[in-house]
Amino acid sequence: MTKTKTPRATENRNPQISTRERIVLALDVDDDREALAIVAELKDSVGLFKVGHQLFTAYGPDIVRRIIGMGGRVFLDLKYHDIPNTVAKASAEAVKLGVSIFNVHALGGLDMMKASVEATNEAAHARNLPVPLMLAVTILTSMDEANLRKELKITRSLKREVSHLARLAQRAGMHGVVASPQEISMLRKAVRGQFVILTPGVRPAWATKDDQKRIMTPNEAVAAGADYLVVGRPVLKAQDRKAAVEKIVEEINQSKSI
Ligand code: C5P
C-alpha cells in the first residue's frame, strides 16, 4: 500500500505573491466617495479591495469599474448561489468587469461550480482578459454545528463538512476557498496541490476585536497557511490608515512565516 504524503501546512500555498499583495481591504463603507477616497489613498499599499453586497447594491458595477479605473484590484464578494446557468452568466460578467477575485457558495453544488469555472475561463479567453481567482465559500462562519444539524439537517461535524465542500470546490476547478482562521490548518491537510485560502477574521494584536470572536493575528494566519487576509476595521478605523497597513505588512514579514 502506498502511503500518501501529508502536505506541510503551507506547502500548497500560492508562493508567488508579496506580503502586501496578500492584504485585501474590505471596503465596508456606505458612501461611494468615501470608498473611492480610501482606494486613492491605499491602492499602492494593499493588494486588493473587497466590494461586498452593501457597496455593490448601493452603487452597482460602476463602483467596481471606478476602483479598477483608479488602479485598484477588486475582490467581488457577492457569493453567487443559484442555478448553474445563472451563476455561469454572472461569472462571465465578473470577468468582463475586470475583477481579480470573485466567489460562489460551494453549497450551490458541483455542477454550479463547474459551470462557473467553465464560463469564467471562456469569457476570459474570448476577450484576452486574465482569469480571475475563483473562490468558494464553504459554510458561513455565522453558522455553527447546532444550526447545521437543526436547520439544515447536516449531521456530520462542521469541520468535516467544511473539508468536504473545499474538496468539492477543488474538484470543480475552483482555485480556492474563503475560510476562517481556525479552518486554515485543517484545510491545508484536506486539499491537494496548490489551493488558495483567503481568510477574514484577522486582527493585529494592537487592534480592537470589534464583533470578531475567533480571531488570529495576520502573522498567525499566514503561518497557518493563508494566502490572502481580509482586513476591514483595523485599517478603516485607524487614525492613519496607511500606517496601519504598513504595520500589518511589517509584522507578517518579521514573523518570517512566508
Ligand atoms: O472589519 P473586519 O476586519 O472585521 O472585516 C472583515 C470583512 O470580512 C467584512 O467585510 C466581513 O463581512 C468579512 N467576513 C468576515 N467573516 C467571515 C466572512 C466574511 O468577517 N466569516
Side-chain angles (χ1 to χ4, degrees):
M1 204 170 68
T2 49
K3 241 181 153 183
T4 50
K5 188 175 153 241
T6 310
R8 270 195 309 126
T10 53
E11 205 169 83
N12 45 2
R13 178 168 60 194
N14 180 355
Q16 278 118 22
I17 52 175
S18 69
T19 302
R20 194 176 296 288
E21 286 172 294
R22 294 175 192 277
I23 298 180
V24 181
L25 180 66
L27 280 178
D28 294 330
V29 293
D30 11 283
D31 184 78
D32 59 344
R33 282 163 306 180
E34 192 185 350
L36 296 173
I38 295 168
V39 173
E41 187 188 357
L42 296 178
K43 66 181 161 52
D44 298 321
S45 302
V46 300
L48 296 105
F49 296 95
K50 181 169 90 71
V51 174
H53 286 293
Q54 182 188 1
L55 213 52
F56 195 83
T57 304
Y59 300 102
D62 198 43
I63 188 79
V64 175
R65 289 191 195 99
R66 287 164 78 186
I67 296 168
I68 295 172
M70 290 167 71
R73 298 174 73 228
V74 171
F75 164 25
L76 189 62
D77 182 19
L78 296 181
K79 304 182 182 71
Y80 298 137
H81 188 175
D82 210 313
I83 58 170
N85 183 57
T86 303
V87 170
K89 291 194 165 153
S91 304
E93 293 303 330
V95 173
K96 289 193 242 166
L97 204 47
V99 307
S100 300
I101 305 182
F102 74 89
N103 56 4
V104 304
H105 266 288
L107 282 168
L110 188 64
D111 285 350
M112 187 205 80
M113 288 191 281
K114 276 185 174 170
S116 171
V117 170
E118 203 175 301
T120 299
N121 286 327
E122 268 178 28
H125 294 146
R127 287 166 188 79
N128 209 15
L129 290 167
V131 177
L133 215 51
M134 295 171 261
L135 304 182
V137 173
T138 57
I139 299 289
L140 291 171
T141 50
S142 49
M143 303 286 287
D144 61 15
E145 234 154 75
N147 297 133
L148 283 195
R149 215 174 33 248
K150 287 192 194 135
E151 297 167 22
L152 305 185
K153 306 294 178 199
I154 294 173
T155 50
R156 67 169 129 199
S157 74
L158 185 63
K159 276 188 166 181
R160 288 192 60 191
E161 189 62 21
V162 166
S163 297
H164 162 68
L165 290 171
R167 284 195 215 101
L168 194 71
Q170 192 170 37
R171 226 171 95 202
M174 304 292 300
H175 298 122
V177 286
V178 179
S180 82
Q182 281 67 31
E183 294 164 352
I184 304 170
S185 316
M186 170 194 89
L187 283 169
R188 280 282 168 234
K189 290 183 194 125
V191 295
R192 291 164 175 281
Q194 206 177 87
F195 199 60
V196 170
I197 298 180
L198 174 143
T199 309
V202 288
R203 280 290 177 276
W206 41 266
T208 55
K209 285 188 185 176
D210 305 303
D211 54 358
Q212 296 283 10
K213 291 195 179 84
R214 288 167 294 140
I215 50 171
M216 271 189 191
T217 62
N219 19 331
E220 283 167 347
V222 171
D227 294 290
Y228 293 92
L229 307 172
V230 176
V231 188
R233 286 161 290 179
V235 171
L236 296 177
K237 289 197 315 194
Q239 290 243 321
D240 184 340
R241 288 169 171 160
K242 225 176 209 169
V245 173
E246 292 314 317
K247 214 164 158 187
I248 294 171
V249 171
E250 215 169 277
E251 281 174 14
I252 297 172
N253 285 341
Q254 276 175 1
S255 76
K256 296 196 175 70
S257 46
I258 299 231

